[in-house]
Amino acid sequence: MIEVKNISKSFGDLKVLTNLSCDISVTGMTVMVGPSGAGKSTLMRCINKLETIDKGSIKVFGIEVPKKRNDLIKFRKDIAMIFQQFNLINQMTVLENVLIGRLNGKGFFPSLFKKFTKVEIKMAEMYLDKVGLYDKRFNKASELSGGQQQRVAIARALIQKPKIILADEPIASLDPKTSTQIMDLLSSIVNEEDIGVLITLHQIDYAKKYADRIIGLNHGKIILDANNSGITLNEVLNLYEMEDVNFNDNE
Ligand SMILES: Nc1ncnc2c1ncn2[C@@H]1O[C@H](COP(=O)(O)OP(=O)(O)OP(=O)(O)O)[C@@H](O)[C@H]1O
Ligand SMILES: [Mg+2]
């Protein structure tokens, strides 16, 4: 469970998140939607402490997001992240990129001298097989298409053996067919690997198709929080667009 309590976050004068609270289940797929600038990425980055909150508290699996760097390394061990731009190392092979996932949760110096064991290499190959890229394992990451690169990023997340994957717009750079493949893959991970996924999307239709739960954010506040089965696509669309158009700071 991710417990977010009364958090606020500003960048200079810009208030991005205001007194925001929510509990996010670590099982299933939670999709966060909302207009550009709503604060979705900021919230996700605060959960993983890529940003620091100004006020409030965030607990992940009962543990407060730590302040000390050493504690942070341990804390992040259970949390994997996937990005819109894949964030692979282009000059490394696909297999090496996946193995990098094993370094998460270790300090910088151990990572520097880390040699991967045969077991770890087998694991990397297994996850590459799971995402359908075993045959590409010796290709450089730069030689892969966007959808393939995102699948490598998913394999890199899986080898970390996380309890939750945070995915910030993982399909924003992909065409509809590839987007569906990636969402199907994430969905299978939720079901087969028992890993929770918190994902931000702009495509409400995908949110509706894949989410167990939908959280709508606008101007740093939660305006919708519902089980997917309890709401219609139009209800999500209405709330999303109405709040976006009619928002008034003075209300
Ligand atoms: N590091 C930063 N420094 C200054 N302002 C920032 C920083 N990160 C985000 N912001 C601002 O905070 C606001 C919220 O940004 P955020 O990236 O969380 O939005 P978002 O909901 O993820 O939007 P999008 O759907 O476009 O990705 C925006 O106005 C953005 O410009
Ligand atoms: Mg964003």
Side-chain angles (χ1 to χ4, degrees), residues 11 14 16 35-42 51 169 202:
F11 294 106
L14 182 71
V16 177
S36 203
K40 304 179 298 294
S41 299
T42 304
E51 298 287 357
E169 292 194 44
H202 273 298

Side-chain angles (χ1 to χ4, degrees), residues 75-93:
F75 169 81
R76 285 209 186 121
K77 197 173 156 290
D78 291 330
I79 307 171
M81 206 149 170
I82 296 171
F83 303 88
Q84 177 180 347
Q85 292 306 334
F86 326 127
N87 292 16
L88 302 182
I89 300 175
N90 280 332
Q91 291 315 305
M92 285 190 170
T93 65

Side-chain angles (χ1 to χ4, degrees), residues 86 133 144-152 154 173-174 178-179 181-182:
F86 326 127
L133 289 174
L144 268 54
S145 71
Q148 289 171 336
Q149 290 195 38
Q150 195 59 295
R151 276 146 64 192
V152 176
I154 292 171
S173 316
L174 306 175
T178 316
S179 295
Q181 285 171 354
I182 295 293

Side-chain angles (χ1 to χ4, degrees), residues 53-227:
I53 51 174
D54 304 330
K55 249 178 50 188
S57 99
I58 300 179
K59 284 186 188 167
V60 185
F61 314 119
I63 299 167
E64 186 101 27
V65 176
K67 294 190 173 65
K68 284 194 221 142
R69 188 173 156 71
N70 274 357
D71 297 338
L72 193 57
I73 290 165
K74 252 189 272 164
F75 169 81
R76 285 209 186 121
K77 197 173 156 290
D78 291 330
I79 307 171
M81 206 149 170
I82 296 171
F83 303 88
Q84 177 180 347
Q85 292 306 334
F86 326 127
N87 292 16
L88 302 182
I89 300 175
N90 280 332
Q91 291 315 305
M92 285 190 170
T93 65
V94 163
L95 187 69
E96 286 165 339
N97 268 282
V98 175
L99 283 164
I100 284 171
R102 291 299 299 169
L103 300 178
N104 203 321
K106 300 189 173 74
F108 177 70
F109 283 109
S111 302
L112 209 59
F113 302 110
K114 170 83 178 155
K115 282 217 165 43
F116 295 103
T117 63
K118 277 186 188 157
V119 172
E120 285 173 321
I121 292 167
K122 277 265 165 282
M123 259 172 90
E125 288 175 346
M126 182 192 84
Y127 286 121
L128 278 171
D129 192 37
K130 183 169 176 71
V131 302
L133 289 174
Y134 179 81
D135 292 346
K136 298 272 186 196
R137 66 197 183 285
F138 299 129
N139 283 73
K140 283 192 178 153
S142 57
E143 293 164 0
L144 268 54
S145 71
Q148 289 171 336
Q149 290 195 38
Q150 195 59 295
R151 276 146 64 192
V152 176
I154 292 171
R156 180 184 58 188
L158 288 175
I159 203 172
Q160 191 187 322
K161 299 241 165 231
K163 291 185 187 157
I164 188 162
I165 295 177
L166 307 178
D168 195 5
E169 292 194 44
I171 57 170
S173 316
L174 306 175
D175 67 41
K177 188 174 166 211
T178 316
S179 295
T180 300
Q181 285 171 354
I182 295 293
M183 289 304 296
D184 284 344
L185 183 59
L186 288 171
S187 191
S188 76
I189 286 164
V190 166
N191 295 323
E192 291 162 22
E193 308 274 334
D194 200 22
I195 295 173
V197 174
L198 171 63
I199 177 169
T200 66
L201 289 180
H202 273 298
Q203 302 87 336
I204 308 260
D205 49 341
Y206 281 91
K208 198 69 192 100
K209 180 170 170 197
Y210 290 97
D212 293 305
R213 178 167 164 211
I214 298 179
I215 294 178
L217 216 67
N218 200 346
H219 291 264
K221 288 187 177 153
I222 291 177
I223 54 162
L224 166 73
D225 185 357
N227 281 331

